[in-house]
């Protein structure tokens, strides 16, 4: 157990509304990642962070922003949700043995 | 962009059968990881292979990293219903920010 929690676990929202997903870790790992998982696409990296206030884009970053104001929290924001952002979102951390551990996921439905 | 091709995409077998899942790329990876994911949960790491030609065993699961570090395989002996799940391979290109490239996964169903 890498001490990763995600909130909310499920969310239904409407097109055009802002949505923020939270990832919280308890073990002070430097690297944190946000992925989305969709049928036929596998896991795709949205954004990642390599320290407080240090973030960078992944392969599918359009329409998403992130923030990391403290080590334990990594926030993913959909500024104006679209139906194409309906997905399951996973947060991950990288430990000192270079292994990524995943949170339980957030299932997001955009109507 | 590095790609990892996993095959087969779907696999349905009877309990007791053997199976192999493949993960192939034209790119070289510094390491490759295998995960298993069950419905409603996040992926869970099974193994990391680092050295070309490396073979690791985890009970009835055998993982192999290709000599050129471009491909990997997962072999399950005498599959059991508890092996049912989505198997994902992920390659680490060795960059400074440790980003993983994932295959699309193999959905394995083991029928009793």
């Amino acid at each position: 157990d890498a001490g990763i929690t995600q909130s909310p676990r499920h969310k239904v929202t409407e097109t055009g509304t802002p949505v923020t997903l939270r990832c919280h870790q308890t073990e002070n790992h430097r690297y944190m990642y946000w992925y989305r998982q969709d049928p036929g696409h596998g896991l795709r990296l949205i954004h990642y962070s390599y320290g407080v206030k240090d973030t960078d884009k992944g392969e599918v970053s359009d329409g998403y922003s992130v923030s990391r104001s403290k080590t334990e929290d990594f926030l993913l924001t959909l500024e104006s949700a679209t139906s194409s952002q309906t997905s399951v979102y996973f947060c991950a951390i990288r430990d000192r043995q270079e292994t990524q551990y995943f949170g339980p996921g957030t299932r997001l439905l955009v109507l | 962009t590095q790609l990892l091709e996993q095959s087969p995409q779907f696999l349905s077998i009877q309990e007791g059968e053997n199976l192999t899942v493949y993960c192939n790329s034209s790119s070289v990876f510094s390491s490759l990881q295998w995960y298993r994911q069950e419905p409603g949960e996040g992926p869970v790491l099974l193994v990391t292979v680092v050295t070309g030609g490396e073979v690791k065993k985890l009970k009835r699961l055998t993982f192999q990293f290709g000599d050129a570090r471009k491909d990997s395989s997962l072999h399950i002996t005498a599959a059991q219903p508890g092996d049912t799940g989505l198997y994902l391979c992920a390659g680490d290109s060795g960059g400074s920010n440790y980003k993983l490239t994932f295959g699309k996964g193999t959905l394995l169903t083991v029928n009793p």
Side-chain angles (χ1 to χ4, degrees):
Chain A
D1 183 2
I4 307 168
T5 57
Q6 292 185 232
S7 59
R9 294 293 314 279
H10 300 88
K11 186 167 182 67
V12 180
T13 190
E14 293 186 350
T15 298
T17 60
V19 176
T20 295
L21 308 182
R22 179 179 182 242
C23 177
H24 179 79
Q25 58 144 330
T26 60
E27 300 188 9
N28 293 319
H29 293 297
R30 180 181 171 196
Y31 289 87
M32 298 184 75
Y33 307 82
W34 275 108
Y35 294 88
R36 61 178 289 175
Q37 187 174 35
D38 305 286
H41 290 280
L43 280 157
R44 292 180 291 174
L45 182 65
I46 305 171
H47 281 280
Y48 63 99
S49 170
Y50 46 96
V52 173
K53 292 185 169 41
D54 291 323
T55 65
D56 206 348
K57 296 179 180 180
E59 64 177 297
V60 289
S61 59
D62 287 350
Y64 301 95
S65 62
V66 290
S67 66
R68 193 163 177 207
S69 59
K70 46 186 178 178
T71 300
E72 57 265 37
D73 288 325
F74 191 30
L75 304 181
L76 176 70
T77 298
L78 291 64
E79 301 289 348
S80 177
T82 67
S83 59
S84 65
Q85 293 176 311
T86 291
S87 187
V88 182
Y89 291 86
F90 288 100
C91 172
I93 60 93
R94 176 190 164 273
D95 71 2
R96 290 170 182 80
Q97 283 70 47
E98 301 181 6
T99 298
Q100 286 196 21
Y101 292 93
F102 287 81
T106 294
R107 192 171 294 270
L108 176 67
L109 175 60
V110 183
L111 299 174
Chain B
T1 302
Q2 295 180 307
L3 294 175
L4 271 172
E5 300 286 342
Q6 261 188 264
S7 62
Q9 188 176 355
F10 300 96
L11 193 53
S12 181
I13 61 172
Q14 294 300 121
E15 182 175 1
E17 293 183 1
N18 302 332
L19 67 111
T20 302
V21 176
Y22 299 93
C23 183
N24 296 299
S25 176
S26 58
S27 304
V28 175
F29 293 100
S30 63
S31 68
L32 197 136
Q33 301 176 4
W34 285 93
Y35 291 82
R36 190 175 95 183
Q37 184 179 19
E38 299 195 16
E41 299 182 7
V44 175
L45 181 70
L46 295 173
V47 77
T48 300
V49 285
V50 178
T51 306
E54 182 177 7
V55 176
K56 282 190 173 180
K57 293 192 174 185
L58 186 66
K59 298 183 180 178
R60 292 175 294 99
L61 279 60
T62 302
F63 304 85
Q64 185 163 7
F65 201 13
D67 291 341
R69 291 185 288 131
K70 294 182 179 181
D71 54 86
S72 182
S73 64
L74 157 61
H75 182 78
I76 302 179
T77 303
Q80 299 177 1
D83 295 326
T84 293
L86 179 67
Y87 289 81
L88 297 159
C89 64
D92 183 348
S93 61
S96 60
N97 287 316
Y98 309 103
K99 294 185 289 183
L100 294 180
T101 299
F102 280 84
K104 294 182 180 180
T106 294
L107 185 59
L108 172 65
T109 302
V110 182
N111 302 298

